Amino acid sequence: MAALTRLSGSNFSSSMASLVRRSLASSAMASDHNLNFPSDHSSFARNPNLVRKDPKDRNVQWVFLGCPGVGKGTYASRLCNLLGVPHIATGDLVREELASAGPFAQQLSEIVNQGKLVSDEIIINLLSKRLEAGDAKGESGFILDGFPRTINQAEILEEVIDIDLVVNLKIREDVLMEKCLGRRICGQCGKNFNVASINVKSENGHPAISMAPLLPPAHCMSKLVTRSDDVEEVVKERLKIYNEKSQPVEDFYRSRGKLLEFDLPGGIPESWPKLLQVLNLDYEDKQCAAA
């Protein structure tokens, strides 16, 4: 891992900078603490193996929000490598459940193919099991990607886990549509790529955006497949549902002083260094940061 320093970005509010510094300061391994779980319907509440961790005894616990296809997984996974915490994407948990032919597989298949949101009960069940497995392996901290998506999920999560910071990635919707329709997955290795070459002119007060395609190596090129939900009709429905559900979640974390909104200025080479800057992070190896 490249060496890491902390910065005080001039365009970063003092309160948010303080929040990030407090979050980053807690990086020791987690110790056990008792927690009185609320008596509600959630899998979190029924799971006695999940415990609230003191910030002094754990790494960061962050959430990445943003429309489907905005790049949450790309930037969250890079930060996880940098900070030494696991990247937990609920989309991956759903796909793993589908591939395993588990108890929710058939129901999930119908929901995903229609572009609808998976129910809170199913998502929380899958996430609860993943966090429990991480605790058993000694994981300390995490970055959640794709959860919470509803105000109900946010409230349930807060009852059990202290979220330090919520990063809300934003981008123009026309660009987002092109990105979603350009997504591809290697059918062999499972890695994500994007074949879209985006060059959108400035208009209506929106800045111009250019994004180069994220192409696979030669041995993956012939094995690329399109996800079943990455077709225009389904993408539009997903964005509509997300926009309806996301505002209360954003307001929930904004009211708690934990929401950091970040407008992506372009592709990874442009956006990654700027994201590091607003998070008070920097690689000493600048070339690695922009790779």
Side-chain angles (χ1 to χ4, degrees):
M1 182 187 301
L4 182 67
T5 58
R6 275 128 198 183
L7 303 177
S8 297
S10 59
N11 62 338
F12 199 48
S13 72
S14 59
S15 60
M16 187 59 71
S18 177
L19 174 63
V20 175
R21 283 195 295 269
R22 290 198 305 270
S23 175
L24 290 167
S26 306
S27 58
M29 292 301 291
S31 62
D32 291 339
H33 295 271
N34 293 326
L35 172 67
N36 295 320
F37 290 91
S39 57
D40 65 14
H41 65 283
S42 77
S43 297
F44 284 128
R46 295 198 303 266
N47 193 335
N49 296 317
L50 291 180
V51 295
R52 192 185 298 272
K53 298 178 178 68
D54 191 302
K56 299 189 303 296
D57 299 320
R58 61 167 171 78
N59 209 318
V60 301
Q61 293 184 168
W62 289 0
V63 164
F64 264 61
L65 298 180
C67 289
V70 73
K72 296 187 299 296
T74 298
Y75 295 102
S77 61
R78 281 171 170 253
L79 282 169
C80 284
N81 291 334
L82 179 61
L83 297 171
V85 295
H87 172 218
I88 303 178
T90 52
D92 290 343
L93 299 182
V94 168
R95 285 185 282 276
E96 289 169 7
E97 182 72 10
L98 284 168
S100 69
F104 302 116
Q106 183 175 351
Q107 184 179 355
L108 283 172
S109 179
E110 295 173 359
I111 293 171
V112 170
N113 289 335
Q114 294 173 16
K116 296 181 179 179
L117 286 179
V118 179
S119 71
D120 290 354
E121 184 177 359
I122 293 176
I123 287 294
I124 291 170
N125 189 297
L126 296 176
L127 180 58
S128 176
K129 290 192 294 184
R130 172 60 183 85
L131 291 175
E132 181 184 352
D135 279 348
K137 292 189 296 183
E139 292 178 352
S140 174
F142 53 76
I143 295 181
L144 292 181
D145 164 6
F147 185 95
R149 287 190 176 181
T150 68
I151 189 65
N152 184 53
Q153 291 177 356
E155 290 171 345
I156 292 173
L157 184 64
E158 186 173 72
E159 291 172 345
V160 182
I161 294 172
D162 294 314
I163 296 301
D164 305 316
L165 181 70
V166 178
V167 180
N168 187 25
L169 298 182
K170 304 175 75 173
I171 200 168
R172 289 173 51 172
E173 191 161 310
D174 53 343
V175 174
L176 188 61
M177 178 63 70
E178 285 194 53
K179 286 189 75 218
C180 287
L181 298 181
R183 292 197 298 189
R184 300 292 186 271
I185 299 175
C186 176
Q188 181 171 332
C189 70
K191 291 184 178 179
N192 294 291
F193 304 98
N194 201 300
V195 300
S197 180
I198 299 173
N199 289 284
V200 180
K201 296 181 179 179
S202 174
E203 61 180 10
N204 299 325
H206 297 294
I209 293 182
S210 295
M211 293 187 178
L214 181 61
L215 298 176
H219 62 272
C220 290
M221 185 65 76
S222 63
K223 304 176 182 67
L224 294 185
V225 295
T226 303
R227 277 172 35 175
S228 60
D229 55 337
D230 278 342
V231 295
E232 186 169 356
E233 181 180 352
V234 174
V235 171
K236 286 182 177 178
E237 180 65 14
R238 288 164 63 204
L239 294 179
K240 175 177 175 290
I241 292 174
Y242 179 83
N243 288 329
E244 290 173 352
K245 300 287 187 180
S246 65
Q247 192 62 53
V249 178
E250 293 172 16
D251 291 343
F252 179 86
Y253 288 114
R254 185 179 292 109
S255 68
R256 287 157 175 77
K258 296 182 177 182
L259 187 71
L260 170 63
E261 307 211 49
F262 181 75
D263 289 292
L264 292 165
I268 295 172
E270 299 84 13
S271 299
W272 175 240
K274 291 182 179 180
L275 179 61
L276 290 177
Q277 182 181 11
V278 300
L279 288 173
N280 280 11
L281 299 173
D282 193 23
Y283 278 123
E284 289 184 359
D285 182 350
K286 297 289 184 181
Q287 184 175 359
C288 180

